[in-house]
Amino acid sequence: MPDRGGGPTGPRMRVGRPSRRVRTLLMTLGVLAVLAMAFVMFAGFWTDWLWYRSVKYSSVFTTTLWTKIGLFAVFGLLMAAAVGVNIWLAHRLRPPLSAMSLEQQNLDRYRMGIAPYKKWVLLGITALVGLIAGASASGQWRTWLMWVNGVPFGQKDPQFKMDVSFYAFDLPWYRFLLGFGFAAAVLSLIAAALVHYLYGGLRITSPGARATAAATGHLSVLLGIFVSLKAVAYWLDRYGLAVKSSDFKATGNWAGLRYVDANAYLPAKTILFCIAAICAVLFFATLWRRTWQLPVIGFGLMVLSAILIGGLYPAIVQKFQVQPNEQAKEAPYIKKNIDATRKAYDIDDAQVDDYRGVGEGQDNAKLRDDADSAASYRLIDPNVVPPTFDQLQQERKYYQFPSTLDVDRYNGQDTVVGLRELDLRGIDKRNWINDHFTYTHGYGMVAAKGTAVKPDTEGAPDFTESGLPAKGSLPNYEQRIYYGEKTDQYSIVGGPQKELDYEKNGEPTTTTSYKGKSGVSLSNPLNRAAYAVAFSEPQMLYSGAIGEGSRILYNRTPKERVEAVAPWLSLDGDAYPAVVGGRVQWIVDAYTTTNGYPYASRTTLGDTTADSLSQTDDQRAVVAQQNQVNYIRNSVKATVDAYDGSVKLYQWDTEDPVLKTWMKAFPGTVQPKGDIEAGLMSHLRYPQDLFKVQRELLTRYHVTNPSQFYSGSDAWQVPDDPTTGDKSSVPPYYLSLKMPTVKGAEVDPNAKRKFSLTTTFTPNGRPNLGAFMAVDADASSKDYGTIRLLRVTGDVPGPQQVQNRLNSNSEVAEFVRNMKGANSDIEYGNLLTIPLNDGFLYVEPVYAQGNNAYPLLKKVAVSYGKETVFKDNLAEALTAVFGEEGAPPPPADDGDPSKPKPPAGDGTLQQAIEDAQKAYTDGEEALKKQDWVAYGKAQENLQDALQRAADAEAKAKPAGGAEPAGKGDPKGD
């Protein structure tokens, strides 16, 4: 035993060493912790593999996985080798003896401390940089696959005559390689310099040479490699000018070469490439000369040249050559930008026609007849009526409709549709079994006519498919909705636990068990354990509700599923359902994009596709792989079965080289266009987000003349939605209409209505109508995708002006007062714009919603030319606006609805003058406040008062305005 007083007499005691049992326990816990972490990582991998296998897209999973692993391994090893070899070489080239100095004495302590662990330090550093580099490289899997599978565009850029595929597929990969090379050179240089310093190859304060010959040669080679890479960068920068993005006042976001790029930057990059190549040779020459003098001089000249040639010279060219005559200098490059942008966004074939738009001097009876056939006026606004669908068709609290319904075509008419999806918030008793086993699916589609309300109601939709189970005009179909836009929770189906099918008043509750092949089987204990970890739900391990036949359904929204099986696609924000072949199919429009199209201006998808609907509904946001793009095609139409979740991708644009590239990378994932069945084709439509991108570009790129484009004299803008109070863009609207065949003012009498997607433009900075745009949205039409633009040449009120005119209408004011008195809110529906006989017809439904009630269509406003009417239904409104004599102008409204207005032609001259003075004063006040609504009302009041003054003056004339007696009148004095 040790002597407690004098301390141990034998070998040194191991103070605090745990017992063998404790060590064994700690080791066991450590092993278990490592195994637990390994299983967590395995669970994520395993569940992903099972999901991809369940949807029959396992090739996407394996291709992506092996590509990432390959890039990680190759570039991780390359980086580790580059840094490790240079560390080893610097250590090997260390001087045999260190100088006798205070600096080296201080370094001796570090050298001695590192000496026993040199191998481990080397392995640790190389492993760390290799892991970081490999992880970074694995994120470039899309760039690699596009480079290795790239398909030619068959189009050449106008400057370098290179195929567009070089910029879209090759240049991004070369830039990645260049960046990787720079990182390897810099890390190797830093690591080698530190090792040389540590072992005396580099000295700062020690006497004698600052670097040994070996260190000089080693570091010079690394610097030579760095400068060589810089030379390559200068050469690639030449091509990068074709896709460079910059600000240019004529176009905003400019892409491609301008005058200064072609005549200053381009030759400067070539000269800098030559200088950098010479400088690199000088660095490599130090292996023989053993001096830094020439390389340092060369490097200094390269830096100076970069400043003078690459920076100062282009600035001088821009200041003294371009700015004095910018329009003429930039015209050829603007033309290249126009042509490339129009082609990249597929708007080069847009038909632009002049259209007066005033609609004056025409036969009213003919206008009334033509109005009936001009369009199917969609009065049911899919953004307003969802609460009505909820109230009338929800049936149970645990069902819901989307916040914005969809517009489709059934039986030849525009139809507003929505699926009755599951809403777990409406379940009376929330628990794990109810949330994930009992309530698993929605039930049925509800459809209503888009152009009419139900007769003998107060304005409710006229449902063509309704009830639970749904019945109506749609063909028989599987009504259970297991996959939908609102279905974001997982469900476990098909096992011993029965599901609630639907409940109907007066009938027993029906149950069901999922018969589809979707989902992943949980019969396997390994699968159950993996999903218990993946979903952090331990009950999956031991719950008796899971047994033979149980399957787990997740990733249940259509966009989630399409994005997962085609991670190289961008998705339209609006997935919509259609009954096809006895099943409900979600249809998702998908896009291929790139930001490498030379000379084409870039756009930001998230901003361009935002409007008043997407800002109130997050689910309508575009899913973009690249937010900044300058090329887009609707190349894929995807479907997701609402019952079994099966995903199908169909090639839509058969000429798109980007899609062909991805089809090479993921063979067998996209089916040919010919496989689209006729039933599905009848429901495919032109996608909204592509349309919004194209309309944004067409605000400027409808102009093809460079001089006019530069001046911006014919620039447009997308107007704000006049039916909302915010500053968000008006959404495009689907409706069937007849586009005029413009030949002067003639209209083709044989033209037929086509399902179209439409929008309006206003001149930049002005509220009047500038243009109308429509695209043939019917995929079965031979003219599908044809863009028509009507450039308005007359003075036509724009959407906001029409809305202001409506708001100032006395009938509207009285209606609003009555509704407010009945505690009802007013909501304006979509303001539809329809070309009609050289004019534009505006149609807007108006809804009223009482407390705790739902919106009902109460009125319809119609405006044509200078006439605006507000009637109980569309037929009355059209008859009123196209009356034989024309509808009378609305009474003036000075902002006080309670104040009676003298009718036109009545009242004294003095009263009319006072009213005119008041209207003028009100207008001036509104102008100071920039209150344009009040200003518009004041101007209308002023016009009315002046008319009454003229009428009163005319009445004051003798004999109804006859000339007074005078010369030539025998009775006159």
Side-chain angles (χ1 to χ4, degrees):
M1 293 182 64
D3 184 354
R4 295 178 181 232
T9 57
R12 181 183 299 176
M13 294 181 61
R14 296 184 179 179
V15 181
R17 182 180 181 183
S19 65
R20 178 177 297 177
R21 180 179 299 176
V22 173
R23 293 200 306 272
T24 303
L25 178 60
L26 291 175
M27 186 176 296
T28 303
L29 292 175
V31 171
L32 290 176
V34 171
L35 290 175
M37 288 188 291
F39 188 77
V40 169
M41 291 187 290
F42 168 78
F45 163 80
W46 186 243
T47 53
D48 284 347
W49 161 249
L50 291 174
W51 186 86
Y52 276 96
R53 192 176 64 175
S54 73
V55 293
K56 298 180 174 58
Y57 282 88
S58 55
S59 63
V60 174
F61 178 79
T62 54
T63 299
T64 305
L65 178 65
W66 285 116
T67 303
K68 290 179 178 179
I69 291 175
L71 292 172
F72 179 90
V74 170
F75 286 95
L77 289 173
L78 285 175
M79 182 65 77
V83 176
V85 166
N86 280 283
I87 291 175
W88 173 83
L89 187 59
H91 179 264
R92 187 177 181 87
L93 296 175
R94 68 191 184 278
L97 298 174
S98 59
M100 296 300 295
S101 66
L102 182 61
E103 178 186 23
Q104 295 302 315
Q105 291 175 5
N106 291 330
L107 290 175
D108 280 340
R109 290 180 295 172
Y110 295 102
R111 289 193 283 261
M112 292 175 63
I114 294 174
Y117 310 105
K118 285 190 293 186
K119 290 183 179 179
W120 293 108
V121 171
L122 177 62
L123 290 175
I125 292 174
T126 55
L128 179 62
V129 297
L131 288 172
I132 295 173
S136 175
S138 66
Q140 297 294 322
W141 64 272
R142 290 185 178 88
T143 307
W144 161 260
L145 288 176
M146 293 183 77
W147 177 68
V148 77
N149 296 287
V151 171
F153 274 67
Q155 305 166 20
K156 297 183 182 297
D157 79 281
Q159 180 67 41
F160 302 102
K161 309 304 179 184
M162 302 285 286
D163 191 90
V164 173
S165 61
F166 170 79
Y167 302 95
F169 306 142
D170 300 342
L171 191 58
W173 179 248
Y174 298 153
R175 282 176 166 169
F176 164 72
L177 292 178
L178 188 63
F180 178 84
F182 273 124
V186 170
L187 290 175
S188 297
L189 183 63
I190 293 173
L194 288 175
V195 174
H196 280 301
Y197 176 70
L198 181 62
Y199 286 96
L202 293 177
R203 303 165 186 144
I204 298 177
T205 61
S206 300
R210 297 301 182 198
T212 63
T216 300
H218 184 196
L219 297 180
S220 294
V221 169
L222 291 176
L223 285 170
I225 293 173
F226 177 85
V227 177
S228 298
L229 292 172
K230 188 62 180 174
V232 175
Y234 281 132
W235 188 257
L236 288 181
D237 285 347
R238 298 169 67 256
Y239 300 105
L241 292 172
V243 292
K244 182 192 69 172
S245 183
S246 60
D247 291 330
F248 184 38
K249 66 180 181 180
T251 63
N253 184 7
W254 170 278
L257 285 83
R258 291 159 53 188
Y259 181 89
V260 69
D261 295 315
N263 295 277
Y265 279 111
L266 187 57
K269 296 292 183 183
T270 305
I271 294 171
L272 290 172
F273 162 76
C274 297
I275 294 174
I278 294 171
C279 186
V281 172
L282 294 176
F283 273 107
F284 291 132
T286 57
L287 285 173
W288 296 274
R289 293 178 57 86
R290 304 295 183 180
T291 176
W292 292 88
Q293 185 176 6
L294 286 179
V296 169
I297 293 173
F299 189 78
L301 288 175
M302 187 181 75
V303 173
L304 183 62
S305 300
I307 296 172
L308 296 179
I309 302 176
L312 184 60
Y313 173 62
I316 293 173
V317 171
Q318 178 68 24
K319 180 70 175 178
F320 296 102
Q321 290 190 30
V322 178
Q323 288 185 4
N325 192 19
E326 188 173 55
Q327 180 173 331
K329 293 289 187 182
E330 299 289 9
Y333 304 95
I334 292 176
K335 179 61 176 175
K336 294 175 184 178
N337 175 262
I338 292 173
D339 293 343
T341 302
R342 288 170 61 88
K343 187 176 291 292
Y345 291 95
D346 201 20
I347 56 177
D348 51 328
D349 292 329
Q351 303 176 23
V352 183
D353 297 303
D354 289 338
Y355 187 80
R356 282 194 69 223
V358 293
E360 292 179 345
Q362 300 191 47
D363 180 70
N364 287 337
K366 184 176 186 305
L367 283 172
R368 178 65 183 87
D369 291 340
D370 290 343
D372 286 335
S373 60
S376 296
Y377 303 95
R378 186 172 44 73
L379 302 178
I380 302 302
D381 187 344
N383 189 46
V384 175
V385 298
T388 307
F389 272 52
D390 281 334
Q391 290 289 332
L392 300 180
Q393 294 296 325
Q394 185 181 23
E395 302 290 349
R396 290 292 183 269
K397 292 187 299 181
Y398 48 81
Y399 290 132
Q400 63 179 327
F401 290 97
S403 55
T404 299
L405 300 172
D406 291 293
V407 178
D408 202 347
R409 292 147 295 150
Y410 288 93
N411 301 321
Q413 66 178 3
D414 297 351
T415 306
V416 177
V417 299
L419 292 188
R420 189 186 287 114
E421 294 190 43
L422 185 65
D423 183 5
L424 293 179
R425 296 170 299 178
I427 301 175
D428 292 330
K429 187 177 181 180
R430 298 290 302 274
N431 54 54
W432 188 61
I433 293 295
N434 278 346
D435 286 359
H436 301 289
F437 291 82
T438 305
Y439 295 89
T440 59
H441 59 276
Y443 210 97
M445 175 183 282
V446 174
K449 293 180 180 178
T451 57
V453 296
K454 187 176 182 180
D456 303 324
T457 65
E458 296 182 349
D462 188 0
F463 292 106
T464 57
E465 184 82 7
S466 59
L468 184 66
K471 297 179 181 178
S473 60
L474 299 183
N476 292 332
Y477 62 98
E478 172 58 64
Q479 298 197 21
R480 297 172 183 87
I481 310 300
Y482 283 90
Y483 295 87
E485 289 182 300
K486 300 286 188 179
T487 313
D488 54 7
Q489 77 285 347
Y490 72 88
S491 291
I492 299 176
V493 298
Q497 180 70 37
K498 290 293 184 180
E499 311 164 44
L500 172 70
D501 203 16
Y502 63 88
E503 293 179 293
K504 193 172 182 180
N505 292 333
E507 296 182 8
T509 299
T510 61
T511 60
T512 188
S513 186
Y514 185 64
K515 299 297 190 298
K517 297 181 179 180
S518 181
V520 178
S521 173
L522 294 180
S523 301
N524 186 331
L526 176 62
N527 292 357
R528 292 178 67 172
Y531 279 102
V533 171
F535 286 97
S536 301
E537 187 49 72
Q539 293 186 74
M540 288 188 186
L541 291 171
Y542 52 80
S543 174
I546 301 176
E548 189 65 30
S550 292
R551 309 179 72 84
I552 183 169
L553 313 180
Y554 63 104
N555 288 351
R556 298 171 70 181
T557 67
K559 288 195 287 187
E560 274 183 321
R561 298 180 78 78
V562 176
E563 183 186 17
V565 303
W568 33 273
L569 290 173
S570 296
L571 307 182
D572 192 272
D574 184 25
Y576 60 98
V579 175
V580 179
R583 303 291 275 268
V584 174
Q585 299 283 351
W586 286 100
I587 300 174
V588 183
D589 284 287
Y591 309 111
T592 47
T593 62
T594 180
N595 59 7
Y597 197 99
Y599 273 100
S601 292
R602 288 189 173 91
T603 188
T604 304
L605 288 181
D607 296 338
T608 307
T609 57
D611 58 27
S612 61
L613 295 187
S614 61
Q615 291 186 357
T616 58
D617 187 354
D618 292 339
Q619 290 183 329
R620 295 179 72 88
V622 65
V623 179
Q625 298 300 330
Q626 293 174 299
N627 202 25
Q628 279 275 334
V629 303
N630 67 354
Y631 172 93
I632 185 170
R633 290 292 186 274
N634 176 213
S635 53
V636 171
K637 301 283 188 180
T639 63
V640 178
D641 193 295
Y643 181 72
D644 64 18
S646 57
V647 182
K648 292 182 180 179
L649 307 175
Y650 296 100
Q651 183 183 16
W652 185 250
D653 189 332
T654 57
E655 303 299 323
D656 178 28
V658 182
L659 177 60
K660 292 179 180 178
T661 296
W662 287 118
M663 290 175 67
K664 281 183 63 179
F666 297 95
T669 57
V670 181
Q671 300 181 30
K673 185 176 183 178
D675 288 357
I676 300 177
E677 57 182 294
L680 175 60
M681 183 69 77
S682 65
H683 293 283
L684 299 181
R685 67 190 192 189
Y686 202 82
Q688 293 188 69
D689 285 336
L690 174 62
F691 184 81
K692 286 185 278 189
V693 169
Q694 290 174 325
R695 76 171 178 179
E696 182 64 32
L697 269 296
L698 282 168
T699 58
R700 292 170 292 146
Y701 286 94
H702 67 281
V703 176
T704 57
N705 181 278
S707 299
Q708 188 180 9
F709 189 94
Y710 178 86
S711 68
S713 59
D714 195 22
W716 300 333
Q717 64 185 14
V718 178
D720 294 334
D721 190 344
T723 65
T724 62
D726 53 20
K727 293 295 183 181
S728 51
S729 299
V730 62
Y733 295 127
Y734 287 106
L735 73 156
S736 296
L737 59 80
K738 184 190 299 184
M739 283 292 287
T741 300
V742 181
K743 297 178 182 178
E746 297 179 7
V747 177
D748 182 1
N750 299 318
K752 296 182 179 179
R753 291 184 301 208
K754 295 182 178 180
F755 187 67
S756 304
L757 189 55
T758 66
T759 192
T760 54
F761 299 100
T762 58
N764 203 8
R766 297 178 59 200
N768 56 296
L769 191 64
F772 176 81
M773 175 181 173
V775 62
D776 190 337
D778 184 357
S780 59
S781 168
K782 63 181 179 62
D783 295 323
Y784 171 83
T786 300
I787 297 175
R788 291 281 309 277
L789 281 166
L790 301 179
R791 182 195 285 115
V792 179
T793 59
D795 187 11
V796 181
Q800 190 65 56
Q801 292 175 312
V802 172
Q803 189 68 46
N804 292 342
R805 182 189 295 176
L806 175 63
N807 293 341
S808 62
N809 188 294
S810 61
E811 293 183 64
V812 177
E814 181 181 358
F815 175 73
V816 171
R817 282 199 304 272
N818 293 338
M819 291 296 101
K820 293 293 184 182
N823 292 324
S824 294
D825 293 326
I826 303 302
E827 190 163 1
Y828 293 106
N830 36 222
L831 179 58
L832 304 177
T833 307
I834 297 96
L836 177 64
N837 292 26
D838 202 34
F840 283 101
L841 181 68
Y842 288 96
V843 177
E844 182 175 45
V846 180
Y847 296 81
Q849 179 174 356
N851 290 338
N852 300 319
Y854 45 87
L856 294 171
L857 180 62
K858 293 295 186 181
K859 295 281 186 177
V860 178
V862 172
S863 178
Y864 187 83
K866 298 179 180 179
E867 309 295 343
T868 300
V869 299
F870 188 68
K871 299 298 179 182
D872 291 335
N873 56 61
L874 178 62
E876 290 182 12
L878 291 175
T879 299
V881 83
F882 296 127
E884 272 192 19
E885 302 299 328
D893 181 9
D894 63 359
D896 184 3
S898 62
K899 181 178 178 180
K901 304 293 180 187
D906 290 345
T908 64
L909 177 61
Q910 182 62 34
Q911 180 65 51
I913 293 174
E914 291 176 0
D915 289 346
Q917 182 62 42
K918 183 181 185 305
Y920 178 81
T921 304
D922 291 343
E924 291 297 306
E925 291 296 324
L927 194 61
K928 291 178 181 179
K929 299 177 182 178
Q930 294 189 344
D931 186 350
W932 305 115
V933 176
Y935 181 76
K937 291 181 180 179
Q939 293 303 304
E940 291 184 5
N941 293 343
L942 177 61
Q943 184 178 3
D944 176 75
L946 293 175
Q947 182 63 48
R948 286 190 284 112
D951 293 342
E953 185 178 9
K955 284 185 177 182
K957 293 179 180 180
E963 289 294 324
K967 189 175 180 180
D969 186 349
K971 295 182 180 179
D973 290 333

